[in-house]
Amino acid sequence: NNVTSMANCPPTPDGALEKGINTKNEGFHVDNEKCLLDYAANVLKERDLRKKAALTIEAYKLWEENLLPVAPTEYEERKSKSHIAPEYPGRPLNANTLAPGKMKSLGKGRSQASRIAMVHSFAHIESYAIDLSWDIILRFHSKEMPPKVALPKEFYGDWLKVAWDEARHFTMWADRLLELGSEYGTLPVHDGLWQSAMETKENLLDRLGTSQ
């Protein structure tokens, strides 16, 4: 069995316990990804945002070459505990997460500091967009989840393409931060996007309604 629980993984980002997040389900890591759900589990577990984006781009390339099935064989699926979406995705340990209402204004981009703040915010949004796209794939693949129907392959392909696009955007904004003499994690961030998504974690149709 090449599925291993990350029992010794770093702690959940600051503030998670106060927000009522279930830190017991932090996700699993899968060695040697063999299917789309393996990639979903690993991307959502990954704390390094560059690696998160790189894994996404790698998965999309394999998918486009028709080399990546959605799920493992029935036998492997019965053995696996990895294909369960986490309550909170892997995020950088240096990220200072604040409540959305406590975030400072980004300014209008007229100063270097304001430009860095704006680009940092764009990179942050794209990084969570990667997680949210993969979360839909992993969380709702089971027919046990409402609307309790088998989802077509096109559904997974569409959301993987979204994740791929967000991964490219994140990489571009992260590179721009470096050009400005900064990097992701130097400024506070919030997890409002993820919190909103978790309000619809029990029903795919509700989630899709908030993703428009």
Side-chain angles (χ1 to χ4, degrees):
N1 188 347
N2 60 357
V3 178
T4 55
S5 169
M6 298 294 280
N8 297 318
C9 64
T12 301
D14 293 342
L17 291 176
E18 288 79 359
K19 295 168 188 167
I21 295 170
N22 177 12
T23 57
K24 292 182 179 179
N25 180 8
E26 293 184 321
F28 296 84
H29 177 80
V30 182
D31 293 330
N32 303 318
E33 298 94 344
K34 296 179 180 179
C35 66
L36 187 65
L37 298 183
D38 288 347
Y39 272 96
N42 283 358
V43 170
L44 287 169
K45 182 66 184 178
E46 181 58 59
R47 290 183 180 275
D48 185 317
L49 299 186
R50 292 273 188 177
K51 291 182 180 179
K52 194 184 288 282
L55 278 171
T56 299
I57 292 170
E58 178 182 295
Y60 183 72
K61 182 176 185 294
L62 291 172
W63 181 271
E64 286 294 284
E65 295 173 354
N66 203 29
L67 297 175
L68 195 66
V70 172
T73 65
E74 182 179 353
Y75 174 70
E76 290 173 329
E77 177 70 18
R78 288 200 303 268
K79 292 171 59 180
S80 174
K81 295 181 180 179
S82 65
H83 300 146
I84 300 173
E87 291 299 308
Y88 203 87
R91 304 299 299 176
L93 292 178
N94 66 333
N96 178 19
T97 304
L98 304 178
K102 294 184 178 181
M103 296 293 295
K104 293 182 179 180
S105 171
L106 301 177
K108 298 182 179 181
R110 295 174 181 171
S111 67
Q112 179 78 347
S114 177
R115 287 191 286 273
I116 289 174
M118 293 177 71
V119 173
H120 191 279
S121 176
F122 298 154
H124 177 68
I125 291 170
E126 300 294 353
S127 72
Y128 260 113
I130 296 171
D131 282 332
L132 291 170
S133 300
W134 281 109
D135 183 72
I136 283 184
I137 290 173
L138 189 60
R139 189 174 300 277
F140 297 106
H141 80 277
S142 172
K143 287 188 289 186
E144 298 303 313
M145 294 292 288
K148 296 188 176 181
V149 295
L151 299 171
K153 182 179 180 181
E154 290 77 11
F155 173 89
Y156 298 102
D158 286 348
W159 281 103
L160 176 56
K161 186 174 183 178
V162 172
W164 167 76
D165 212 26
E166 309 298 6
R168 294 189 307 114
H169 295 164
F170 166 78
T171 301
M172 288 187 286
W173 287 121
D175 288 345
R176 180 58 179 151
L177 271 179
L178 293 177
E179 293 173 359
L180 293 172
S182 185
E183 63 181 350
Y184 184 87
T186 57
L187 296 174
V189 296
H190 68 83
D191 60 357
L193 290 173
W194 186 264
Q195 290 187 47
S196 295
M198 289 302 96
E199 293 175 2
T200 59
K201 67 180 182 180
E202 302 296 337
N203 191 296
L204 174 60
L205 297 181
D206 290 342
R207 171 68 65 85
L208 294 176
T210 64
S211 301
Q212 301 300 316

